Amino acid sequence: HRLIPGRPLMIGTVEVPCDAGLLGHSDGDVLCHAIADALLGAAALGDLGSRFPDSDPRWQGIGGAAILDQIVVLLGEGGFRIGNVDATVIAERPRLAAHREAMASGIAEALGVDPARVSVKIKSNEACDAVGRGEAIAAQAVVLIEAV
């Protein structure tokens, strides 16, 4: 997601102090979006864009935690529960390490899982591409779901 001035920066359910926020129809929470997509994909339930299209005004400004809450419902309806979440935020700015624990805790709360099942890692992109230039923030997630 591209950083733009005039928006709050939400990452992993946490508002991080910054002079710019992430562009998006929702709150732009790139970390929650990566986790949501990984969960949907693991359960073969589509993707974030098909479930929360930016053409639908209902999703305007929706928070990452609210998206994760809804994904948990979809997983339950599909006969799945979350085993664990391993996620990585890739950013040059702002520095995010001080917010890692709050992000993991907020994500765990939104997913209704023990915080010990959520890992959040913070990486830089070593000055490569838009992320490395501090123009954008990326995230990746791998999840384990279990049939119930």
Side-chain angles (χ1 to χ4, degrees):
H1 288 45
R2 188 165 40 105
L3 283 163
I4 61 167
R7 281 190 64 132
L9 177 58
M10 298 299 296
I11 302 179
T13 76
V14 175
E15 186 170 347
V16 176
C18 188
D19 63 348
L22 293 166
L23 179 64
H25 183 70
S26 66
D27 69 353
D29 189 329
V30 67
L31 182 56
C32 286
H33 294 176
I35 293 166
D37 256 338
L39 289 166
L40 288 169
L45 293 173
D47 62 22
L48 200 57
S50 65
R51 292 287 179 168
F52 302 89
D54 62 7
S55 58
D56 188 335
R58 288 182 301 160
W59 309 125
Q60 177 72 39
I62 188 172
I67 288 173
L68 294 178
D69 288 339
Q70 293 195 28
I71 300 298
V72 169
V73 171
L74 292 170
L75 289 173
E77 290 171 352
F80 296 102
R81 70 174 175 221
I82 298 167
N84 66 12
V85 173
D86 179 26
T88 304
V89 180
I90 308 158
E92 295 298 318
R93 75 173 183 103
R95 303 309 268 176
L96 298 172
H99 305 283
R100 190 183 65 75
E101 290 298 326
M103 291 176 192
S105 178
I107 291 164
E109 183 177 336
L111 294 174
V113 300
D114 187 310
R117 293 179 175 227
V118 177
S119 170
V120 173
K121 300 180 300 291
I122 310 295
K123 303 289 181 193
S124 73
N125 217 31
E126 304 298 331
C128 293
D129 69 30
V131 172
R133 289 188 303 271
E135 300 167 1
I137 296 176
Q140 303 168 338
V142 176
V143 300
L144 172 69
I145 59 171
E146 304 166 312
V148 291

